[in-house]
Amino acid sequence: MKPARTPDQQRPMRADARRNYDRLVATARVAFQEQGADASLDDIAKRAGVGSGTLYRHFPHRDALLAAVIEDSIDALHTRSQELLATDDPAAALEAWMRATITHAGTYRGLAATLMSSTYDEGSPLHSSCKRNHAAGAELLKRAQESDRVRPEVDAADLFRLITAVAWAAEQSPESEDTAERLLPLVFDGLRTTGTARQAQPARQGRQGRQAPKG
């Protein structure tokens, strides 16, 4: 499923309209990289060499333009989630998906917050792709929980809030890539139920049983 398209995008375009569309998407990609997802749409139109009316005919609002710009990234993320669903280690698959989603959300400054709000906004052109990614994350989370590797009380909404928080924190940091890489393992450790957390309890009990009596 592709991101939602406007009626103009669904109809075959004339050659000149197609050129304008492609030029706007390419220009927006550069502008978002330089200025973040809140880059001026009028400035994008000017840099693309078209009028603002042309931009708004193709992209009635910002989310429509963002959806076109990140379409390939969204498709790649979905493909990655399907690959991870076929792997043998559900916990490692979930962590890898979280890392890929954080990387995607951090493509442009401000994108993480836009994707989170679009998940709940059915009128946004980004909504369908956000829901698709949400569903993939929920399935990966369920697999990890069924393998008794992730805490059962965590739901997909919690997972996306955590991902958005890490992506937002990373974009606020001058060392954004390092920030995400440092925070993600901490977040994932908090999700785990097995490994050191489950093994530590008997060990602690054993130590307590070996304590010398007082007095």
Side-chain angles (χ1 to χ4, degrees):
M1 182 187 300
K2 299 281 188 180
R5 294 178 180 269
T6 66
D8 280 349
Q9 292 170 306
Q10 292 169 353
R11 294 194 300 266
M13 284 187 261
R14 301 188 315 270
D16 59 337
R18 182 78 240 182
R19 285 193 297 271
N20 287 338
Y21 176 91
D22 291 342
R23 191 181 301 120
L24 283 164
V25 171
T27 303
R29 187 174 288 116
V30 174
F32 291 151
Q33 188 69 52
E34 293 173 349
Q35 304 169 31
D38 292 329
S40 166
L41 298 188
D42 290 339
D43 183 58
I44 289 171
K46 182 178 180 180
R47 291 169 65 174
V50 302
S52 295
T54 298
L55 182 148
Y56 288 108
R57 277 196 298 274
H58 286 294
F59 308 106
H61 44 74
R62 183 178 301 278
D63 281 4
L65 182 55
L66 269 170
V69 168
I70 66 175
E71 181 176 342
D72 289 345
S73 178
I74 289 171
D75 286 345
L77 183 60
H78 179 68
T79 298
R80 180 61 175 150
S81 68
Q82 299 310 299
E83 292 171 349
L84 289 168
L85 282 168
T87 60
D88 294 332
D89 187 335
L94 178 62
E95 186 173 9
W97 174 84
M98 290 173 67
R99 177 172 282 103
T101 300
I102 289 169
T103 299
H104 168 69
T107 304
Y108 306 117
R109 188 175 66 255
L111 181 59
T114 298
L115 293 175
M116 174 60 79
S117 63
S118 297
T119 300
Y120 304 100
D121 180 5
E122 295 183 1
S124 170
L126 290 163
H127 177 75
S128 62
S129 59
C130 288
K131 293 296 288 184
R132 180 175 62 164
N133 194 38
H134 195 286
E139 194 169 354
L140 286 160
L141 174 64
K142 182 180 178 182
R143 285 182 73 233
Q145 289 172 324
E146 289 175 346
S147 70
D148 200 27
R149 302 285 297 282
V150 169
R151 294 164 59 174
E153 70 271 22
V154 179
D155 62 20
D158 292 333
L159 193 63
F160 271 83
R161 292 184 186 103
L162 290 170
I163 289 170
T164 302
V166 172
W168 182 87
E171 76 178 30
Q172 302 302 310
S173 170
E175 308 88 12
S176 58
E177 292 184 6
D178 292 339
T179 299
E181 285 300 318
R182 283 187 282 107
L183 291 179
L184 178 58
L186 297 175
V187 170
F188 197 76
D189 281 349
L191 297 175
R192 292 181 186 275
T193 57
T194 58
T196 56
R198 294 176 75 89
Q199 294 168 5
Q201 186 174 4
R204 284 195 299 269
Q205 292 173 346
R207 286 195 297 271
Q208 290 170 354
R210 292 194 298 271
Q211 289 178 348
K214 295 181 179 180

